[in-house]
Amino acid sequence: MHTGAMKTREQLRMLILAVLERQPEHGYAIAQAIKARSEGLLTAREGSLYPALHALEAEGLVESEEHDVGGRVRREYRLTEKGKGVLAKARKEWEKQVRAVGAVIGGQS
Amino acid sequence: MNAQNWLTRATGEFPEGVTRRVSAETLAHLQDTGLPQDADVSVVLGSPDDTARELRQLYLSRREWAGLQPGSSYRALITFAKWGVWAVAVLLCIEALNEISVLYTMALVVYLLGLAWTHRLPYVRRWNLRMGAMLATMCVFRWLPDLWKDAGLSPDYLWVITPVLLVSMTAYLWTENGRLRRTLTLEGEPA
């Protein structure tokens, strides 16, 4: 994934968790959801997606299972309880940062 | 760059299980994008070298994995380490009794707890961690103080360097342990 707004691995991890909060998805659907929700602002370098998913799975934040989708095998990832906790914490932190940056660049004195 | 070339560059250096899982997911992904066969997949996937670098942080390389298999020199090293690990425990015990030292007693307790905790782990992970603990203990309690003394340096700095060294070694061991655990999982072995 890469844009001026999303450069770090940590941001990609949080976006993946946020997408999986709604429902379990496979890799391609996760990439598409990020693109769609950001209105195309966050475009994908999708080769980074699977290492990030594997790392999240190793940390117990997501779990995966293979499914047959219309005769094609797809690995579906779902958020775990631990993942939900980490996402909630990251969301709070993000909102704090947005408020702080907004207060500075919003022109308030 | 077509899908096959991309995958060879991204996953070629990893053991079979890792290559299989990443290839299966990537090929399914490409199938979903609807890209024509032999299209340049790097437009969608980015650089295979970037993916290889990210995978390297997660998994052992094929060479590292081969080095852990039965019959390798590493396995022979483990045979010797089995004695060494207990010899270090005895050494700490002697030092603790000799100097009636709280520091040595604490180190001995932590070391023995570490040995007990690793007992439930699969063979290679168990001995990887135990050898690391053995080397870290020797380094902190023997080699570094001796080196310091021989170099005629002030012992004050030793109190700063020792914790830094200990934390760095623990972090390194923990990272390597994670890579090994993830690789074992994808290679279908007890992790």
Side-chain angles (χ1 to χ4, degrees):
Chain A
M1 301 273 163
H2 72 124
T3 70
M6 187 177 65
K7 285 180 181 164
T8 67
R9 185 182 303 158
E10 192 52 35
Q11 284 173 328
L12 173 60
R13 287 159 54 89
M14 290 313 135
L15 289 172
I16 292 172
L17 295 182
V19 168
L20 293 178
E21 190 184 27
R22 278 193 194 171
Q23 61 184 46
E25 297 281 15
H26 55 84
Y28 178 72
I30 294 170
Q32 291 308 302
I34 292 172
K35 213 182 288 184
R37 283 203 222 169
S38 69
E39 296 175 345
L41 190 67
L42 305 176
T43 53
R45 214 175 48 208
E46 292 162 25
S48 301
L49 192 63
Y50 296 100
L53 282 165
H54 291 194
L56 290 170
E57 190 173 19
E59 288 168 44
L61 305 185
V62 303
E63 53 194 15
S64 75
E65 209 175 356
E66 281 191 337
H67 288 286
D68 196 302
V69 182
R72 299 192 294 193
V73 177
R74 293 289 179 272
R75 182 170 285 275
E76 198 173 74
Y77 290 87
R78 70 172 62 239
L79 199 61
T80 62
E81 286 304 315
K82 190 178 172 190
K84 283 178 192 169
V86 168
L87 177 64
K89 209 170 149 190
R91 192 170 270 147
K92 266 187 198 162
E93 189 57 39
W94 175 252
E95 282 164 1
K96 218 163 90 181
Q97 280 181 29
V98 168
R99 270 200 306 273
V101 173
V104 175
I105 65 171
Q108 295 167 350
S109 57
Chain B
M1 186 184 295
N2 68 22
Q4 203 46 58
N5 292 340
W6 193 94
L7 282 170
T8 305
R9 258 177 72 179
T11 68
E13 67 183 88
F14 298 98
E16 206 179 311
V18 177
T19 304
R20 200 183 313 121
R21 164 102 179 245
V22 177
S23 297
E25 289 188 300
T26 308
L27 288 172
H29 189 108
L30 290 170
Q31 207 176 19
D32 289 340
T33 62
L35 274 180
Q37 220 174 7
D38 276 340
D40 181 9
V41 299
S42 57
V43 175
V44 173
L45 300 175
S47 162
D49 300 332
D50 287 346
T51 302
R53 194 177 53 242
E54 283 159 20
L55 289 172
R56 226 170 277 141
Q57 290 171 5
L58 293 174
Y59 303 108
L60 300 182
S61 70
R62 191 184 292 253
R63 184 185 287 187
E64 286 172 312
W65 176 246
L68 299 177
Q69 299 311 303
S72 65
S73 50
Y74 186 78
R75 288 287 182 123
L77 190 68
I78 289 178
T79 312
F80 288 106
K82 284 178 180 174
W83 294 99
V85 161
W86 295 109
V88 169
V90 171
L91 184 81
L92 284 175
C93 192
I94 292 169
E95 295 282 9
L97 290 172
N98 265 354
E99 301 184 17
I100 327 252
S101 160
V102 176
L103 186 68
Y104 277 107
T105 309
M106 275 171 59
L108 178 65
V109 170
V110 171
Y111 189 79
L112 290 177
L113 283 175
L115 293 188
W117 179 76
T118 53
H119 185 68
R120 64 185 179 88
L121 296 177
Y123 187 81
V124 180
R125 277 184 68 207
R126 176 164 75 235
W127 287 102
N128 227 16
L129 286 171
R130 285 181 172 184
M131 281 198 286
M134 178 179 78
L135 289 175
T137 307
M138 286 304 287
C139 198
V140 166
F141 288 99
R142 273 293 157 100
W143 301 331
L144 189 65
D146 287 350
L147 192 75
W148 217 255
K149 208 170 155 188
D150 292 347
L153 297 167
S154 162
D156 295 344
Y157 295 112
L158 205 55
W159 288 104
V160 179
I161 289 192
T162 303
V164 172
L165 188 74
L166 210 52
V167 168
S168 311
M169 286 174 109
T170 307
Y172 175 77
L173 261 179
W174 202 247
T175 306
E176 289 306 296
N177 180 54
R179 286 175 74 225
L180 178 56
R181 179 170 50 80
R182 289 189 283 270
T183 309
L184 283 165
T185 305
L186 292 201
E187 293 306 306
E189 293 194 20

